[in-house]
Amino acid sequence: MNERAFQTAAADAAGRLADHWRALASCELPVVPPGPPGTTLKALPETAPEQGEDLAGILEDTWRTIVPQLVHWQHPNFLGYFPANNSPASVLAELVTAGLGVQGMMWSTSPAATELEQRVCDWLARALGLPSRFTHASGQGGGVIQDSASSAALVAVAAALHRASGGRWREHGTEGRLRVYCTDQANHSVPKVVRVAGAGEPVLVPTVPGTHSMDPAALADRLDADRAAGLVPAAVVATVGTTATCAIDPVPRIGAVCRERGVWLHVDAAYAGSAALCPELRAGDAESDLADSYAVNAHKWMRTGIPCDVLWVADRKDLTDALGATSSYLRNDATDSGQVVDFKDWQVPLGRPMRALKLWYVLRAHGLEGLREVIRRDVRLAALLASLVEREPGFRLVAHRLGLVVLRAETDEVTRDITRRLTGKPEVLCTPATVDGRPVLRAALGSPYADETTVRRAWDTVRACAASVS
């Protein structure tokens, strides 16, 4: 393939993406694809081509076959799950990263990749108001870019198990004694992470009635009871912005309980942690001074394309002692000197792309103030939607925090009917959930193309579904 062919195809792709973004902004495209299961499979050959094909044709097939069957997460009426928004700066960085094709597993394999990641993680830690001990500049802690909050929680739990076992975890596993704690409101990935780490199912700590937030007193009682029974409490996972209602566990009080008992506290702030970019949106309940690790999904609310989760640890040695491994072919003078960071020891895989370039581009292109305005705008739009729900007869506002609005109808049967009817509407996507045993609908604002008009239009669609039920 010659360079000119690549330049032509890259320009074509950029033009198609720009047109696609304009179509999303004007709501010309549906949120949800119309085709039934198997639509894309039927359009794809069953075997790979024997001969190479022209890039222009492959791009054309992408927009003819693949794009129409995608759920458009950037659509202004995509209100499901949590945002996974993007930006031209992030897309450009991904192109450059892919083109450079470096392997950043160690400092020696790409020094600039490692040092750039150290710097942008420190930038973001300071911007979020995290303790200085979470920075690389402190010489003790630091940040690392993971692919997801799940991976961040996995390595944090591994470090916690290693520390709680006095180093035995690497050779002997949990030995059936190490325990990890969370609430039933924690993200679904947390139980999976705990199982993968070898600690079985997490211990569920009760929440304070009416809050969906962890009860620190109940946590203290359970930790003490388990320790008295010969078990070893290793880690607590607190959540800042639960999936169902965006509840915030009282991190300072939980941290005090954990610190007194020598238990690792990991804070999963995947969604709501980004709000701390705005000083007025920082929640006192989310202060992380006593946490051992803290994670935020930049790919949720910072205009940075998925995947990009940033995990900070207060003591990097805990992490590298648990995950570090060096074969003969990985030995080098820089690593042996102890003066560099090798991010392979901060994650599960050995290989890693140059993850920091994307975040660097976004932070520079938008600036912190630009990212703050993104979050403030989404919070304003969510407040508008919440006000529309409150004023509408037959609906109840279940929860509203930051960019998330949770609602239900007066009866569970009507709520389920609205959900079913809304599922058949390709122009809006909300996520069903269960809160306090009752069905609800979640609407999370976060599209870069959403505005007051699109919010009102989406709400009109929900209202129309309710009217058709009655």
Side-chain angles (χ1 to χ4, degrees), residues 402-464:
L402 299 176
L404 180 66
V405 177
V406 185
L407 59 115
R408 62 174 174 83
E410 288 183 331
T411 70
D412 293 351
E413 182 180 358
V414 172
T415 301
R416 293 189 186 98
D417 282 343
I418 293 172
T419 301
R420 281 193 292 269
R421 293 172 187 270
L422 199 60
T423 301
K425 300 285 186 180
E427 63 268 27
V428 176
L429 191 151
C430 295
T431 308
T434 301
V435 174
D436 295 329
R438 303 194 65 180
V440 299
L441 274 174
R442 298 172 62 264
L445 278 297
S447 165
Y449 308 110
D451 56 23
E452 289 192 10
T453 299
T454 59
V455 169
R456 293 181 185 277
R457 187 183 300 136
W459 178 238
D460 285 344
T461 301
V462 176
R463 291 173 63 244

Side-chain angles (χ1 to χ4, degrees), residues 245-294:
T245 64
C246 198
I248 294 178
D249 289 337
V251 175
R253 294 169 60 198
I254 295 170
V257 170
C258 292
R259 181 64 57 88
E260 183 179 344
R261 292 160 177 80
V263 178
W264 184 291
L265 173 59
H266 174 66
V267 178
D268 178 3
Y271 167 66
S274 297
L277 287 174
C278 306
E280 75 276 13
L281 296 179
R282 292 178 184 172
D285 275 354
E287 293 296 332
S288 56
D289 287 350
L290 297 179
D292 295 279
S293 53
Y294 190 95

